[in-house]
Amino acid sequence: MKKPVLCILLILSLLMTATGCSIEHNVSTNSSRAFKKDLMGISDAIKSVEISFRRPAVIYKVNMIKEPMQETLDTILEKVKSFTTVENMDEIARKVGWKQRVSQIYLRINTDKDDFIEHEYFSRYYKTAVVEDREDNIDAYQTWKKSSTLKETDFEN
């Protein structure tokens, strides 16, 4: 009788630990609220802007009502780059109780009513997968890349 109860307790604790690691936090700081307002002013096609934290990443999601012109995408990306500073990411980390660097940033742009992300850009704090605060390993969100192989299954929550 004790073995099944212990197994159930072990499984439950493992499940709680595994799901607790990926809690998504909505981000709301003075600077992030101003940033969202700034993004909303770029185009009438922007329906909403969400900022969330899911360790170890900050995710900006821009929801639009139609496919934007390249100029609009470029403006969104430039504003995101300007906001994504070490100071702002450290503020977000403190706000959600994360005691490490935000290591990844994602900009996801949905241009229609479905949940599929049509455009995604990303940046990292570290240049390599090694989390090491050496000067030659820190990019500090300066390099941004466009994801080139988006599939509908890449963004399931």
Side-chain angles (χ1 to χ4, degrees):
M1 182 70 180
K2 285 185 179 183
K3 264 190 176 179
V5 172
L6 288 175
C7 286
I8 291 171
L9 288 174
L10 179 62
I11 290 170
L12 285 174
S13 66
L14 287 173
L15 282 174
M16 289 173 62
T17 302
T19 57
C21 294
S22 61
I23 293 173
E24 190 164 322
H25 301 273
N26 288 325
V27 172
S28 183
T29 64
N30 289 337
S31 60
S32 70
R33 285 189 294 277
F35 169 64
K36 286 168 70 170
K37 187 176 180 180
D38 196 25
L39 283 179
M40 292 290 294
I42 293 172
S43 169
D44 291 337
I46 297 176
K47 183 172 53 174
S48 66
V49 175
E50 303 165 20
I51 304 174
S52 59
F53 174 87
R54 187 182 317 156
R55 74 180 207 139
V58 167
I59 302 150
Y60 308 119
K61 185 173 181 194
V62 178
N63 297 299
M64 304 186 78
I65 57 174
K66 64 181 180 181
E67 180 67 35
M69 294 174 46
Q70 187 60 47
E71 181 181 325
T72 303
L73 286 173
D74 293 343
T75 302
I76 291 169
L77 183 57
E78 285 308 312
K79 290 197 180 275
V80 165
K81 286 179 179 181
S82 294
F83 177 76
T84 307
T85 63
V86 172
E87 294 78 20
N88 283 339
M89 296 306 102
D90 286 350
E91 178 186 16
I92 289 171
R94 280 191 304 275
K95 180 80 174 178
V96 299
W98 183 246
K99 293 178 179 29
Q100 300 174 28
R101 292 273 187 208
V102 172
S103 61
Q104 300 169 14
I105 309 293
Y106 295 97
L107 167 60
R108 296 176 176 165
I109 301 173
N110 181 359
T111 63
D112 50 30
K113 294 179 182 175
D114 65 16
D115 286 334
F116 180 70
I117 303 299
E118 285 79 16
H119 304 277
E120 182 185 58
Y121 302 86
F122 65 92
S123 184
R124 295 191 170 103
Y125 181 78
Y126 298 102
K127 290 179 182 178
T128 68
V130 178
V131 177
E132 198 169 35
D133 283 324
R134 292 185 344 256
E135 190 174 320
D136 64 333
N137 191 40
I138 296 175
D139 186 57
Y141 320 114
Q142 296 304 302
T143 304
W144 285 80
K145 296 180 182 177
K146 183 172 176 75
S147 294
S148 58
T149 57
L150 296 179
K151 296 181 216 142
E152 237 173 301
T153 55
D154 288 345
F155 301 106
E156 292 179 357
N157 290 346

